[in-house]
């Protein structure tokens, strides 16, 4: 379907950078070449994409209706650009419209095909996800910078430094939990953990630790590298960003949420803190556990990676939502944990 | 577990909010997008403030325990009324079982408004073990409001409690409303602590007097429901969204907010009225938002709720 130099070119693109030539051939064999005339919609804002489109020929315009700003042109795309990639990880509506501005030829990797890859090519799926989520992390960091810039001049009430120091010194600590009333296997029936079989999940639990986090306990610090991942079982955890002693709440995560630092993907310090905003019981999966899991069961590791990628896409969504809020509201924050 | 809709801004025919959008409010009674287990069939209520009407400070009111999608009276009313502020509620409650009775009646339909006040309140959520809380809660409610409670809902009690925290005024500032809401939550939290009640209890409140909208996304003991709960998705029902723009109406074949230089109107609701949610903002848990008009522009203030 594609010429050799086109395939070689594809291997330089972020979603495919970790694939080998044979894997790319397999992927292309199950993909579709799609042509668009000038003015045709490739993606429509608010609708769910049917897959990831990679531009092989032609140009497209990206525009979005942004709350409070109307319709804005965001970018012009040409060969090598890709759109709709999030649909391979999470079924979310597109946040922008992509329109062919010249006759356009794209390679479409359908979400339906990508969804069945774990059954026969889990490693290939993992490599594509890795490429995509790295690009997501780049976007998240760009939004961090914009948010921090807005926070500097915002109405968020800064916390007093000495109050913060006292709070820091007296913060409650997490501890191992001895609770026996939580049926951990229930998670297997709940999204996103329903991708695991019961045997796989039991094996995963061997690498986790049940912990008790009192209200106020810090779980992930913004600049900390190699921090653990957690699954909330009871209670709630709050994600915040800080700038000049101003603390802003991004999102609150309740039971069955998985969270951790995005630096798991790119090894660059993150800008998000996670702390228990209610007394919480969590499952902790630390980096040593993740490494041990990788060595012991690669297929299980791919599935965990899947779930982590979904959580990172959710982080992008939460960060973008907060960015919209800062541009829409007079947000003053509050006393935070 | 209920759907609520509030609007403030340029006068708008009620039918354009209730019936016409692709996720219209009436449609949310039988096909809510963000509730997968429960339908909202236990009553519909509406308050609408129109500055051109007789007694403009008081709202038009309509309440029924009938199914709203069959209600011809409601349709006729919706065509005629063009308010600048609206508060509407669809009641969704657990169905009656052998050992638990649910009472569906007009008295239990939100929004609530008492004599002596022009502030209406609607609630999405429920207080765990509410019946045990009543004997303690009443101590915090002024007699003039206590005597007006006529239904069996926790929502009406929360309304009475809220009014009891609010110092009466001709014009309410955002700070006064926020202060009264925080005090209300503090009383509820204190009573729960007294009675050792720890079950998850959402208190998404929507309040208006025609001049402002206030809404909270707040749950006491968030996340303390059992994973053995047969319907865990039930606990994600208590979402809160908003959108704003120059006008709300039919644009590009779709009922939606039109962008423009002026921010003339705002909708705050349990879920977006359009299938396209990308021009709506979802507020996170523990958030209070207040909107009002100033020089024909909508101002929005938000803060985190921390008791």
């Amino acid at each position: 379907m594609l010429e050799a130099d086109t395939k070689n070119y594809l291997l330089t693109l972020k979603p495919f950078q970790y694939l080998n030539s044979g894997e790319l051939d397999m992927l292309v064999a199950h993909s579709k070449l799609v042509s668009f005339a000038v003015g045709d919609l490739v993606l429509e804002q608010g609708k769910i994409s049917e897959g990831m489109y990679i531009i092989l020929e032609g140009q497209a315009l990206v525009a979005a209706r942004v709350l409070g700003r109307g319709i804005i042109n965001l970018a012009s795309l040409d060969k090598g650009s890709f759109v709709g990639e999030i649909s391979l990880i999470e079924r979310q509506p597109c946040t922008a419209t992509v329109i062919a501005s010249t006759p356009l030829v794209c390679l479409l990797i359908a979400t339906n095909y990508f969804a069945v890859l774990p059954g026969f090519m889990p490693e290939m799926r993992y490599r594509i996800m890795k490429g995509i989520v790295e690009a997501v992390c780049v976007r998240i960091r760009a939004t961090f910078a914009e948010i921090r810039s807005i926070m500097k001049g915002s109405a968020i009430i800064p916390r007093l430094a000495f109050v913060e120091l006292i709070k820091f010194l007296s913060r409650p600590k997490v501890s191992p939990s001895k609770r026996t009333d939580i049926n951990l296997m229930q998670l297997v029936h709940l999204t996103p953990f329903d991708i695991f079989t019961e045997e796989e999940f039991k094996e995963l639990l061997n690498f986790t630790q049940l912990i008790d986090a009192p209200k106020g306990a810090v779980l992930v610090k913004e600049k900390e590298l190699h921090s653990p991942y957690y699954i909330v079982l009871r209670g709630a955890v709050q994600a915040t960003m800080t700038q000049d002693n101003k603390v802003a709440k991004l999102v609150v995560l309740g039971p069955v949420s998985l969270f951790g630092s995005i630096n798991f993907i790119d090894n660059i310090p993150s800008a998000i803190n996670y702390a228990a905003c209610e007394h919480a019981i969590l499952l902790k999966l630390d980096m040593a556990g993740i490494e041990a899991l990788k060595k012991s069961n690669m297929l299980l590791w791919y599935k965990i990676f899947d779930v982590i990628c979904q959580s990172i896409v959710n982080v992008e969504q939460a960060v973008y939502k907060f960015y919209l809020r800062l541009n829409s509201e007079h947000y003053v924050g509050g006393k935070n944990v | 577990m209920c759907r609520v809709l509030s609007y403030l801004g340029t006068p708008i025919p009620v039918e354009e909010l209730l019936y016409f959008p692709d996720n219209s409010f009436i449609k949310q009674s039988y096909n809510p997008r963000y509730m997968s287990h429960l339908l909202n069939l236990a009553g519909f209520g509406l308050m609408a403030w129109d500055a051109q009407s007789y007694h403009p400070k008081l709202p038009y009111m309509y309440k029924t325990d009938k199914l709203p999608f069959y209600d011809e009276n409601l349709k006729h009313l919706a065509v005629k009324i063009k308010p600048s502020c609206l508060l509407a509620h669809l009641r969704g409650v657990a169905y009656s079982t052998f050992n638990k009775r649910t009472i569906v009646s007009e008295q239990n339909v939100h929004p609530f408004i008492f004599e002596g006040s022009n502030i209406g309140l609607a609630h999405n959520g429920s207080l765990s073990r509410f019946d045990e809380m009543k004997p303690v809660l009443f101590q915090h409610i002024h007699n003039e409001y206590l005597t007006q409670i006529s239904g069996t809902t926790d929502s009406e009690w929360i309304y009475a409690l809220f009014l009891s925290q609010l110092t009466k005024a001709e014009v309410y500032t955002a700070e006064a409303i926020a202060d009264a809401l925080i005090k209300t939550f503090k009383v509820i939290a204190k009573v729960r602590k007294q009675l050792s009640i720890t079950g998850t209890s959402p208190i998404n409140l929507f309040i208006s007097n025609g001049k402002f909208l206030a809404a909270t996304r707040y749950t006491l003991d968030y996340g303390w429901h059992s994973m053995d709960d047969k319907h865990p998705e039930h606990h994600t029902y208590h979402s809160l969204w908003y959108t704003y723009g120059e006008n709300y109406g039919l644009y590009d074949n779709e009922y939606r907010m039109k962008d423009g230089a002026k921010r003339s109107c705002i909708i705050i609701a349990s879920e977006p009225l359009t299938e396209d949610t990308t021009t709506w903002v979802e507020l996170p848990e523990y958030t209070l938002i207040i909107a009002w008009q100033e020089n024909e522009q909508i101002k929005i203030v938000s803060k985190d709720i921390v008791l």
Side-chain angles (χ1 to χ4, degrees):
Chain A
M1 180 165 60
L2 296 181
E3 290 172 9
D5 56 351
T6 304
K7 286 188 203 172
N8 288 337
Y9 175 70
L10 285 176
L11 285 171
T12 66
L13 301 180
K14 280 217 174 303
F16 311 125
Q17 62 180 311
Y18 298 112
L19 296 182
N20 60 42
S21 181
E23 285 167 335
L24 184 69
D25 283 342
M26 163 89 71
L27 185 68
V28 167
H30 292 89
S31 303
K32 222 164 55 158
L33 278 178
V34 185
S35 298
F36 298 92
V38 175
D40 281 354
L41 294 183
V42 179
L43 295 184
E44 191 177 348
Q45 183 174 355
K47 303 267 192 279
I48 295 176
S49 175
E50 53 177 332
M52 174 169 66
Y53 293 86
I54 302 101
I55 297 178
L56 299 179
E57 288 170 32
Q59 289 186 322
L61 182 66
V62 183
R65 173 173 280 118
V66 178
L67 183 64
R69 296 169 65 188
I71 295 179
I72 53 177
N73 290 338
L74 293 173
S76 186
L77 306 177
D78 50 22
K79 183 179 173 182
S81 299
F82 51 94
V83 292
E85 72 279 10
I86 296 301
S87 67
L88 300 185
I89 302 177
E90 270 275 309
R91 286 185 68 73
Q92 286 178 6
C94 297
T95 53
T97 295
V98 179
I99 308 166
S101 48
T102 70
L104 196 67
V105 176
C106 295
L107 183 70
L108 168 63
I109 295 160
T111 47
N112 293 345
Y113 170 68
F114 201 71
V116 301
L117 274 181
F120 63 100
M121 295 286 283
E123 188 170 358
M124 185 165 95
R125 179 184 159 101
Y126 160 71
R127 289 181 183 174
I128 297 170
M129 296 268 272
K130 190 166 187 289
I132 292 172
V133 86
E134 283 177 1
V136 171
C137 288
V138 169
R139 291 201 298 262
I140 291 173
R141 291 183 188 289
T143 315
F144 280 164
E146 293 198 54
I147 287 174
R148 282 197 146 139
S149 170
I150 299 172
M151 277 176 75
K152 278 182 190 165
S154 76
I156 302 171
I157 302 162
R159 297 203 237 166
L160 295 170
F162 78 90
V163 169
E164 283 309 294
L165 179 62
I166 292 168
K167 268 191 177 168
F168 173 76
L169 293 172
S170 60
R171 270 189 194 281
K173 303 277 188 282
V174 300
S175 58
S177 174
K178 293 180 175 58
R179 286 184 80 119
T180 54
D181 61 331
I182 299 177
N183 178 3
L184 295 175
M185 291 308 295
Q186 276 296 109
L187 284 171
V188 156
H189 304 291
L190 302 170
T191 309
F193 305 102
D194 51 0
I195 62 169
F196 298 100
T197 64
E198 288 200 2
E199 289 68 34
E200 284 171 340
F201 200 73
K202 271 184 199 155
E203 188 178 342
L204 173 64
L205 290 177
N206 292 332
F207 298 93
T208 63
Q209 191 189 3
L210 195 66
I211 63 159
D212 193 300
K215 183 172 174 174
V218 172
L219 295 154
V220 177
K221 289 183 208 155
E222 59 180 80
K223 295 192 174 86
E224 187 183 19
L225 292 178
H226 314 300
S227 41
Y229 263 74
Y230 296 89
I231 301 170
V232 183
L233 300 173
R234 295 280 195 280
V237 168
Q238 178 173 275
T240 57
M241 279 183 68
T242 307
Q243 176 66 40
D244 299 336
N245 280 336
K246 295 179 178 181
V247 179
K249 176 187 68 193
L250 299 181
V251 72
V252 174
L253 304 167
V256 197
S257 301
L258 174 105
F259 69 91
S261 177
I262 65 170
N263 66 41
F264 173 77
I265 298 294
D266 57 12
N267 225 27
I268 303 170
S270 170
I272 300 180
N273 297 290
Y274 292 91
C277 54
E278 299 284 347
H279 169 217
I281 308 292
L282 308 105
L283 266 183
K284 178 181 171 185
L285 179 62
D286 61 22
M287 286 300 118
I290 288 177
E291 287 305 314
L293 181 72
K294 257 189 191 175
K295 287 181 183 136
S296 104
N297 188 335
M298 210 59 189
L299 293 180
L300 183 55
W301 153 245
Y302 291 148
K303 285 192 175 183
I304 271 287
F305 187 78
D306 246 35
V307 177
I308 288 174
C309 287
Q310 286 175 42
S311 77
I312 290 175
V313 165
N314 290 334
V315 167
E316 183 181 26
Q317 207 186 32
V319 168
Y320 179 64
K321 277 181 186 174
F322 183 66
Y323 169 74
L324 279 183
R325 287 188 60 205
L326 280 182
N327 282 298
S328 303
E329 303 161 25
H330 185 79
Y331 169 67
V332 300
K335 293 185 299 177
N336 286 297
V337 292
Chain B
M1 265 287 157
C2 304
R3 299 285 81 176
V4 193
L5 167 69
S6 61
Y7 171 90
L8 179 69
T10 314
I12 182 173
V14 170
E15 61 177 351
E16 291 191 4
L17 292 166
L18 294 193
Y19 293 99
F20 294 167
D22 51 21
N23 189 36
S24 73
F25 196 60
I26 296 300
K27 190 178 173 187
Q28 291 173 32
S29 61
Y30 59 87
N31 191 21
R33 290 191 71 214
Y34 288 77
M35 291 170 64
S36 58
H37 168 56
L38 203 59
L39 300 181
N40 302 294
L41 306 175
F44 168 84
L46 166 74
M47 281 181 191
W49 286 263
D50 180 354
Q52 310 305 317
S53 65
Y54 184 63
H55 278 322
K57 284 186 180 172
L58 293 177
Y60 288 100
M61 263 188 41
Y62 182 85
K63 288 190 177 189
T64 178
D65 56 1
K66 295 184 175 38
L67 297 172
F69 38 91
Y70 293 141
D71 190 340
E72 290 298 314
N73 287 336
L74 176 60
K75 270 195 203 145
H76 291 306
L77 203 65
V79 166
K80 287 292 293 181
I81 298 177
K82 201 173 172 189
S84 57
C85 182
L86 174 140
L87 179 59
H89 182 271
L90 288 162
R91 188 166 176 241
V93 288
Y95 312 130
S96 286
T97 59
F98 179 71
N99 53 4
K100 190 176 181 231
R101 202 164 61 111
T102 293
I103 297 175
V104 175
S105 71
E106 263 185 39
Q107 286 76 18
N108 284 346
V109 173
H110 317 199
F112 301 101
I113 191 164
F114 284 166
E115 290 280 340
S117 173
N118 76 334
I119 295 182
L121 177 146
H123 172 218
N124 175 20
S126 66
L127 291 177
S128 178
R129 292 163 57 190
F130 167 62
D131 286 340
E132 294 168 51
M133 291 177 72
K134 277 199 262 191
V136 186
L137 266 182
F138 92 88
Q139 299 163 27
H140 299 275
I141 299 175
H142 296 169
N143 267 345
E144 70 173 298
Y145 304 125
L146 202 56
T147 51
Q148 295 191 60
I149 296 174
S150 59
T152 60
T153 66
D154 51 1
S155 311
E156 200 177 9
W157 280 69
I158 293 172
Y159 174 56
L161 182 62
F162 167 74
L163 288 181
S164 304
Q165 313 309 310
L166 187 66
T167 306
K168 279 189 192 174
E170 269 301 303
V171 174
Y172 291 103
T173 61
E175 290 79 17
I177 297 295
D179 195 45
L181 280 166
I182 299 295
K183 283 179 180 166
T184 303
F185 294 146
K186 280 184 174 172
V187 168
I188 295 172
K190 182 178 162 189
V191 170
R192 283 163 61 91
K193 190 170 180 187
Q194 228 174 301
L195 300 171
S196 303
I197 297 173
T198 56
T200 286
S201 294
I203 323 176
N204 279 21
L205 301 178
F206 293 73
I207 296 168
S208 183
N209 71 347
K211 298 292 182 195
F212 69 84
L213 299 180
T216 63
R217 182 174 177 177
Y218 187 61
T219 300
L220 286 160
D221 290 294
Y222 184 69
W224 281 91
H225 54 269
S226 167
M227 273 194 301
D228 293 330
D229 189 330
K230 288 197 175 79
H231 298 284
E233 65 275 13
H234 181 85
H235 300 288
T236 60
Y237 291 172
H238 307 95
S239 52
L240 185 65
W241 296 74
Y242 73 87
T243 187
Y244 61 82
E246 192 173 283
N247 256 318
Y248 187 86
L250 184 64
Y251 301 103
D252 301 326
N253 287 322
E254 194 187 351
Y255 272 90
R256 57 172 179 80
M257 212 42 109
K258 176 180 177 255
D259 316 296
K262 278 174 75 172
R263 193 194 278 198
S264 306
C265 48
I266 183 170
I267 298 173
I268 305 175
S270 301
E271 56 181 79
L273 296 182
T274 50
E275 294 217 354
D276 175 4
T277 60
T278 60
T279 51
W280 290 71
V281 173
E282 185 180 7
L283 290 166
E285 197 62 44
Y286 306 105
T287 301
L288 160 64
I289 183 171
I290 301 177
W292 68 96
Q293 276 176 309
E294 204 172 279
N295 302 324
E296 294 182 355
Q297 293 265 22
I298 297 289
K299 302 286 181 196
I300 306 172
V301 154
S302 68
K303 64 183 283 184
D304 300 333
I305 299 171
V306 182
L307 299 189

